[in-house]
Amino acid sequence: FNAVGLLSLVPFKTACQNLFDRGMPHAVTLEAMGVFLVLFFILAALTAGSAIPSGLLMPQMVIGGLLGRMLALLAMKIPTGQVEGILWATPYQVLFDEGLLPGDPSMVFGTGLLDPGIGALIGAAAFLG
């Protein structure tokens, strides 16, 4: 298994789908995403600035998805206080422990509102806008 292969050895559409996956927060490591982001950003800038006909939509979605997923993973690692075995302060526990709404058990994996897949989706949408 190669984490960078989930992003680099597949078409752009599949790379976006791999970034948007929910319930698997550590399918692609933070380090692998950082290396891939730097290389992909440089290559996307080179092809967009050259006379080669290439699209801009999917590279922007991949870069935004990488940034969003990386920020969500970093936010999940930030401890703000110890409350009953949970590393987050009381106002922020709803982001990580509950379902879609407080008390809603509809999420299968129980990762809370802050999921790296959702962060990737928000990052891709923000990078396009």
Side-chain angles (χ1 to χ4, degrees), residues 16-83:
C16 283
Q17 289 173 346
N18 290 337
L19 287 172
F20 298 159
D21 276 345
R22 294 190 63 203
M24 303 184 317
H26 303 290
V28 182
T29 63
L30 194 58
E31 295 82 13
M33 285 189 288
V35 169
F36 184 74
L37 174 66
V38 170
L39 294 175
F40 190 80
F41 185 82
I42 291 170
L43 292 175
L46 286 175
T47 57
S50 65
I52 300 170
S54 62
L56 293 175
L57 178 70
M58 290 309 288
Q60 285 182 343
M61 288 184 68
V62 170
I63 292 170
L66 282 166
L67 288 172
R69 190 171 183 98
M70 288 173 63
L71 287 175
L73 281 173
L74 286 174
M76 289 173 66
K77 291 183 177 186
I78 299 172
T80 58
Q82 185 72 28
V83 180

Coordinates of all heavy atoms in Angstrom, one line a residue, residues 16-83:
C16 N -9.6 12.9 -6.4 CA -10.6 13.7 -5.7 C -11.5 12.8 -4.8 O -11.8 13.1 -3.7 CB -11.4 14.5 -6.6 SG -10.6 16.0 -7.2
Q17 N -11.9 11.7 -5.4 CA -12.8 10.8 -4.6 C -12.0 10.2 -3.4 O -12.6 10.0 -2.3 CB -13.3 9.6 -5.5 CG -14.3 10.1 -6.5 CD -14.7 9.0 -7.5 OE1 -14.0 8.0 -7.6 NE2 -15.8 9.2 -8.3
N18 N -10.7 9.9 -3.6 CA -9.9 9.4 -2.5 C -9.8 10.4 -1.4 O -9.7 10.1 -0.2 CB -8.6 8.9 -3.0 CG -8.7 7.6 -3.8 OD1 -9.6 6.9 -3.7 ND2 -7.7 7.4 -4.7
L19 N -9.7 11.7 -1.8 CA -9.5 12.8 -0.8 C -10.9 13.0 -0.1 O -10.9 13.4 1.1 CB -9.1 14.1 -1.5 CG -7.7 14.1 -1.9 CD1 -7.4 15.4 -2.8 CD2 -6.7 14.1 -0.8
F20 N -12.0 12.8 -0.8 CA -13.3 13.1 -0.2 C -13.8 11.9 0.6 O -14.9 12.1 1.2 CB -14.3 13.4 -1.3 CG -14.0 14.7 -2.1 CD1 -14.5 14.8 -3.3 CD2 -13.1 15.6 -1.6 CE1 -14.3 16.0 -4.1 CE2 -12.8 16.7 -2.4 CZ -13.4 16.9 -3.6
D21 N -13.1 10.8 0.7 CA -13.6 9.6 1.5 C -13.8 10.0 2.9 O -12.9 10.6 3.5 CB -12.6 8.5 1.3 CG -12.9 7.7 0.1 OD1 -13.9 7.8 -0.5 OD2 -12.0 6.9 -0.3
R22 N -15.0 9.6 3.5 CA -15.2 9.8 4.9 C -15.0 8.5 5.7 O -15.1 7.4 5.1 CB -16.7 10.3 5.0 CG -16.9 11.6 4.4 CD -18.2 12.2 4.8 NE -18.3 12.4 6.2 CZ -19.4 12.4 6.9 NH1 -20.5 12.3 6.3 NH2 -19.4 12.6 8.2
G23 N -14.7 8.7 6.9 CA -14.6 7.5 7.8 C -13.2 6.9 7.8 O -13.0 5.9 8.5
M24 N -12.3 7.4 6.9 CA -11.0 6.9 6.9 C -10.0 8.1 7.0 O -9.4 8.5 6.0 CB -10.7 6.2 5.5 CG -11.6 5.0 5.3 SD -11.2 4.1 3.8 CE -10.9 5.4 2.6
P25 N -9.9 8.6 8.2 CA -9.1 9.9 8.3 C -7.6 9.7 8.0 O -7.0 10.7 7.6 CB -9.3 10.3 9.7 CG -9.8 9.1 10.5 CD -10.4 8.2 9.5
H26 N -7.1 8.5 8.2 CA -5.7 8.4 8.0 C -5.3 7.5 6.8 O -4.3 6.8 6.8 CB -5.0 7.8 9.3 CG -5.3 8.7 10.4 ND1 -4.7 10.0 10.6 CD2 -6.1 8.5 11.5 CE1 -5.1 10.5 11.7 NE2 -6.0 9.7 12.3
A27 N -6.2 7.4 5.8 CA -5.9 6.7 4.6 C -4.7 7.2 3.9 O -3.9 6.5 3.3 CB -7.1 6.6 3.7
V28 N -4.6 8.5 3.8 CA -3.4 9.2 3.2 C -2.8 10.0 4.4 O -3.5 10.8 5.0 CB -3.9 10.1 2.1 CG1 -2.6 10.8 1.5 CG2 -4.6 9.4 1.0
T29 N -1.5 9.8 4.6 CA -0.9 10.5 5.7 C -0.7 12.0 5.4 O -0.7 12.4 4.3 CB 0.5 9.8 6.0 OG1 1.3 10.0 4.9 CG2 0.3 8.3 6.3
L30 N -0.5 12.7 6.5 CA -0.3 14.1 6.4 C 1.0 14.4 5.6 O 1.1 15.4 4.8 CB -0.2 14.7 7.8 CG -0.4 16.2 7.9 CD1 -1.6 16.7 7.3 CD2 -0.3 16.6 9.3
E31 N 2.1 13.7 5.8 CA 3.3 13.9 5.2 C 3.2 13.6 3.7 O 3.8 14.3 2.8 CB 4.4 13.0 5.8 CG 4.8 13.3 7.2 CD 3.8 12.7 8.2 OE1 3.0 11.8 7.8 OE2 3.8 13.1 9.4
A32 N 2.5 12.5 3.3 CA 2.4 12.2 1.9 C 1.6 13.2 1.2 O 1.9 13.6 0.0 CB 1.7 10.8 1.8
M33 N 0.5 13.8 1.8 CA -0.2 14.8 1.2 C 0.6 16.1 1.1 O 0.5 16.8 0.1 CB -1.5 15.1 2.0 CG -2.6 14.1 1.8 SD -4.2 14.6 2.6 CE -3.8 14.4 4.3
G34 N 1.4 16.4 2.0 CA 2.3 17.6 1.9 C 3.3 17.5 0.8 O 3.4 18.5 0.0
V35 N 3.9 16.4 0.6 CA 4.9 16.2 -0.5 C 4.1 16.2 -1.8 O 4.6 16.9 -2.8 CB 5.6 14.8 -0.3 CG1 6.4 14.5 -1.6 CG2 6.5 14.9 0.9
F36 N 3.0 15.5 -1.9 CA 2.2 15.5 -3.2 C 1.7 16.9 -3.5 O 1.7 17.3 -4.7 CB 1.1 14.5 -3.1 CG 0.3 14.4 -4.4 CD1 0.9 13.7 -5.4 CD2 -0.9 14.9 -4.5 CE1 0.2 13.6 -6.6 CE2 -1.7 14.8 -5.7 CZ -1.1 14.1 -6.7
L37 N 1.3 17.7 -2.5 CA 0.8 19.0 -2.7 C 1.8 19.9 -3.3 O 1.6 20.6 -4.3 CB 0.3 19.7 -1.4 CG -0.2 21.1 -1.5 CD1 -1.4 21.2 -2.4 CD2 -0.4 21.7 -0.1
V38 N 3.0 19.9 -2.8 CA 4.1 20.7 -3.4 C 4.4 20.4 -4.8 O 4.5 21.2 -5.7 CB 5.4 20.6 -2.5 CG1 6.6 21.3 -3.1 CG2 5.1 21.2 -1.1
L39 N 4.6 19.1 -5.1 CA 4.9 18.6 -6.4 C 3.8 18.9 -7.4 O 4.0 19.3 -8.5 CB 5.3 17.1 -6.4 CG 6.6 16.8 -5.7 CD1 6.8 15.3 -5.6 CD2 7.8 17.4 -6.3
F40 N 2.6 18.6 -7.0 CA 1.4 18.8 -7.9 C 1.2 20.2 -8.1 O 0.8 20.6 -9.3 CB 0.2 18.1 -7.2 CG -1.0 18.0 -8.1 CD1 -1.1 17.0 -9.1 CD2 -2.0 18.9 -8.1 CE1 -2.1 16.9 -10.0 CE2 -3.1 18.9 -8.9 CZ -3.2 17.9 -9.9
F41 N 1.3 21.1 -7.2 CA 1.1 22.5 -7.4 C 2.1 23.1 -8.4 O 1.8 23.8 -9.3 CB 1.3 23.3 -6.0 CG 1.0 24.7 -6.1 CD1 -0.3 25.2 -6.1 CD2 2.0 25.7 -6.3 CE1 -0.6 26.5 -6.2 CE2 1.7 27.0 -6.4 CZ 0.4 27.4 -6.3
I42 N 3.4 22.7 -8.3 CA 4.4 23.1 -9.2 C 4.1 22.6 -10.6 O 4.1 23.4 -11.6 CB 5.8 22.7 -8.8 CG1 6.2 23.4 -7.5 CG2 6.8 22.9 -9.9 CD1 7.4 22.9 -6.9
L43 N 3.7 21.3 -10.8 CA 3.4 20.8 -12.1 C 2.2 21.4 -12.7 O 2.1 21.6 -13.9 CB 3.3 19.3 -12.0 CG 4.6 18.5 -11.7 CD1 4.4 17.1 -11.5 CD2 5.6 18.8 -12.8
A44 N 1.2 21.6 -11.8 CA -0.1 22.3 -12.3 C 0.2 23.7 -12.8 O -0.4 24.1 -13.8 CB -1.2 22.2 -11.2
A45 N 1.0 24.4 -12.1 CA 1.3 25.8 -12.5 C 2.1 25.8 -13.8 O 1.9 26.7 -14.6 CB 2.1 26.5 -11.4
L46 N 3.0 24.9 -14.0 CA 3.8 24.8 -15.2 C 2.9 24.5 -16.4 O 3.1 25.1 -17.5 CB 4.9 23.8 -15.1 CG 6.1 24.2 -14.2 CD1 7.1 23.0 -14.1 CD2 6.8 25.4 -14.8
T47 N 2.0 23.5 -16.3 CA 1.2 23.1 -17.4 C 0.1 24.2 -17.7 O -0.2 24.4 -18.8 CB 0.5 21.8 -17.2 OG1 -0.3 21.9 -16.0 CG2 1.5 20.7 -17.1
A48 N -0.4 24.9 -16.6 CA -1.4 25.9 -16.9 C -0.7 27.1 -17.6 O -1.4 27.8 -18.3 CB -2.0 26.4 -15.6
G49 N 0.6 27.4 -17.3 CA 1.2 28.5 -17.9 C 1.9 28.3 -19.3 O 2.3 29.2 -19.9
S50 N 1.9 27.0 -19.7 CA 2.5 26.7 -21.0 C 1.4 26.7 -22.1 O 0.3 27.0 -21.8 CB 3.1 25.3 -20.9 OG 2.1 24.3 -20.7
A51 N 1.9 26.5 -23.3 CA 1.0 26.5 -24.4 C 0.3 25.1 -24.6 O -0.4 24.9 -25.6 CB 1.7 26.8 -25.7
I52 N 0.4 24.2 -23.6 CA -0.2 22.9 -23.7 C -1.7 23.0 -23.3 O -2.0 23.6 -22.3 CB 0.5 21.9 -22.8 CG1 2.0 21.8 -23.2 CG2 -0.2 20.6 -22.8 CD1 2.8 21.0 -22.2
P53 N -2.6 22.5 -24.1 CA -4.0 22.6 -23.7 C -4.3 21.6 -22.5 O -4.0 20.4 -22.6 CB -4.8 22.1 -24.9 CG -3.8 21.4 -25.8 CD -2.5 21.9 -25.4
S54 N -4.6 22.2 -21.4 CA -4.9 21.4 -20.2 C -6.0 22.1 -19.4 O -6.2 23.3 -19.5 CB -3.6 21.3 -19.3 OG -3.2 22.6 -18.9
G55 N -6.7 21.3 -18.7 CA -7.8 21.8 -17.9 C -7.3 22.4 -16.6 O -6.2 22.1 -16.1
L56 N -8.1 23.3 -16.0 CA -7.8 23.8 -14.7 C -8.7 23.4 -13.6 O -8.4 23.5 -12.4 CB -7.8 25.4 -14.8 CG -6.8 26.0 -15.7 CD1 -7.1 27.5 -15.7 CD2 -5.4 25.8 -15.1
L57 N -9.9 22.8 -14.0 CA -10.9 22.5 -12.9 C -10.4 21.4 -12.0 O -10.4 21.5 -10.8 CB -12.2 22.1 -13.6 CG -13.3 21.7 -12.7 CD1 -13.8 22.9 -11.9 CD2 -14.4 21.0 -13.4
M58 N -10.0 20.3 -12.6 CA -9.6 19.1 -11.7 C -8.3 19.4 -10.9 O -8.3 19.0 -9.7 CB -9.5 17.9 -12.5 CG -10.9 17.3 -13.0 SD -12.1 17.2 -11.8 CE -11.6 15.8 -10.9
P59 N -7.3 20.0 -11.5 CA -6.1 20.3 -10.7 C -6.5 21.2 -9.5 O -6.0 21.1 -8.4 CB -5.1 21.0 -11.6 CG -5.5 20.4 -12.9 CD -7.0 20.2 -12.9
Q60 N -7.4 22.2 -9.7 CA -7.8 23.1 -8.6 C -8.6 22.3 -7.6 O -8.4 22.6 -6.4 CB -8.7 24.2 -9.2 CG -7.9 25.3 -9.9 CD -8.8 26.4 -10.3 OE1 -10.0 26.3 -10.4 NE2 -8.2 27.5 -10.7
M61 N -9.4 21.4 -8.0 CA -10.1 20.6 -7.0 C -9.2 19.7 -6.2 O -9.4 19.5 -5.0 CB -11.2 19.7 -7.7 CG -12.4 20.5 -8.2 SD -13.7 19.5 -8.9 CE -14.2 18.7 -7.5
V62 N -8.2 19.1 -6.9 CA -7.2 18.3 -6.1 C -6.4 19.1 -5.1 O -6.2 18.7 -4.0 CB -6.3 17.5 -7.1 CG1 -5.1 16.8 -6.4 CG2 -7.1 16.5 -8.0
I63 N -5.9 20.3 -5.6 CA -5.1 21.1 -4.7 C -6.0 21.6 -3.5 O -5.6 21.5 -2.3 CB -4.5 22.3 -5.5 CG1 -3.4 21.8 -6.4 CG2 -3.9 23.3 -4.5 CD1 -3.0 22.8 -7.4
G64 N -7.2 22.0 -3.8 CA -8.1 22.5 -2.7 C -8.5 21.3 -1.8 O -8.5 21.5 -0.5
G65 N -8.7 20.1 -2.3 CA -9.0 19.0 -1.5 C -7.8 18.6 -0.6 O -8.0 18.2 0.5
L66 N -6.6 18.7 -1.2 CA -5.4 18.4 -0.3 C -5.3 19.4 0.8 O -5.0 19.0 2.0 CB -4.2 18.5 -1.2 CG -3.9 17.3 -2.1 CD1 -2.8 17.6 -3.1 CD2 -3.5 16.1 -1.3
L67 N -5.5 20.7 0.5 CA -5.4 21.7 1.6 C -6.4 21.5 2.6 O -6.2 21.6 3.8 CB -5.4 23.1 1.0 CG -4.2 23.5 0.2 CD1 -4.5 24.9 -0.5 CD2 -3.0 23.7 1.1
G68 N -7.7 21.2 2.2 CA -8.8 21.1 3.2 C -8.6 19.8 4.0 O -8.8 19.9 5.2
R69 N -8.2 18.7 3.4 CA -7.9 17.5 4.2 C -6.8 17.7 5.2 O -6.8 17.2 6.3 CB -7.7 16.3 3.3 CG -7.7 15.0 4.0 CD -7.7 13.8 3.0 NE -7.8 12.6 3.7 CZ -9.0 11.9 3.9 NH1 -10.1 12.4 3.4 NH2 -9.0 10.8 4.5
M70 N -5.7 18.3 4.7 CA -4.6 18.5 5.6 C -5.0 19.4 6.8 O -4.6 19.2 7.9 CB -3.4 19.2 4.8 CG -2.7 18.2 3.9 SD -1.5 19.0 2.8 CE -0.3 19.6 4.0
L71 N -5.7 20.5 6.5 CA -6.1 21.4 7.6 C -7.1 20.6 8.6 O -7.0 20.8 9.8 CB -6.8 22.6 7.1 CG -5.9 23.6 6.4 CD1 -6.7 24.8 5.8 CD2 -4.9 24.2 7.4
A72 N -8.0 19.8 8.1 CA -8.8 19.0 9.0 C -8.0 18.0 9.8 O -8.3 17.9 11.0 CB -9.9 18.3 8.1
L73 N -7.0 17.4 9.2 CA -6.2 16.5 10.0 C -5.4 17.2 11.0 O -5.2 16.7 12.2 CB -5.3 15.7 9.1 CG -5.9 14.5 8.3 CD1 -4.9 13.9 7.3 CD2 -6.3 13.4 9.3
L74 N -4.9 18.4 10.7 CA -4.2 19.2 11.7 C -5.1 19.6 12.8 O -4.7 19.6 14.0 CB -3.5 20.4 11.0 CG -2.3 20.1 10.2 CD1 -1.8 21.3 9.5 CD2 -1.2 19.5 11.1
A75 N -6.3 20.0 12.5 CA -7.3 20.5 13.5 C -7.7 19.3 14.4 O -7.9 19.5 15.6 CB -8.5 21.0 12.9
M76 N -7.7 18.1 13.9 CA -8.0 16.9 14.7 C -6.9 16.6 15.7 O -7.1 16.0 16.7 CB -8.3 15.7 13.9 CG -9.6 15.8 13.1 SD -9.9 14.5 12.0 CE -10.0 13.1 13.1
K77 N -5.7 17.1 15.4 CA -4.5 16.8 16.3 C -4.3 17.8 17.3 O -3.4 17.6 18.2 CB -3.3 16.6 15.4 CG -3.3 15.4 14.6 CD -2.0 15.2 13.8 CE -2.1 13.9 13.0 NZ -0.8 13.7 12.4
I78 N -5.0 18.9 17.3 CA -4.8 20.0 18.2 C -5.5 19.8 19.5 O -6.8 19.8 19.6 CB -5.2 21.4 17.7 CG1 -4.4 21.7 16.4 CG2 -5.0 22.5 18.7 CD1 -4.9 22.9 15.7
P79 N -4.9 19.5 20.6 CA -5.6 19.4 21.9 C -5.7 20.7 22.5 O -4.8 21.5 22.5 CB -4.7 18.5 22.7 CG -3.3 18.7 22.2 CD -3.5 19.1 20.7
T80 N -6.9 21.0 23.1 CA -7.1 22.3 23.7 C -7.4 22.1 25.2 O -7.4 23.1 25.9 CB -8.3 23.0 23.1 OG1 -9.5 22.2 23.2 CG2 -8.0 23.3 21.6
G81 N -7.7 21.0 25.7 CA -7.9 20.8 27.1 C -8.4 19.4 27.4 O -9.0 18.7 26.6
Q82 N -8.1 18.9 28.6 CA -8.5 17.5 28.9 C -9.8 17.5 29.7 O -9.9 18.1 30.8 CB -7.4 16.9 29.8 CG -7.6 15.5 30.2 CD -7.4 14.6 29.0 OE1 -6.6 14.9 28.1 NE2 -8.1 13.4 28.9
V83 N -10.9 17.0 29.1 CA -12.2 16.9 29.7 C -12.7 15.5 29.6 O -13.1 15.0 28.5 CB -13.2 17.9 29.0 CG1 -14.6 17.8 29.7 CG2 -12.7 19.3 29.1

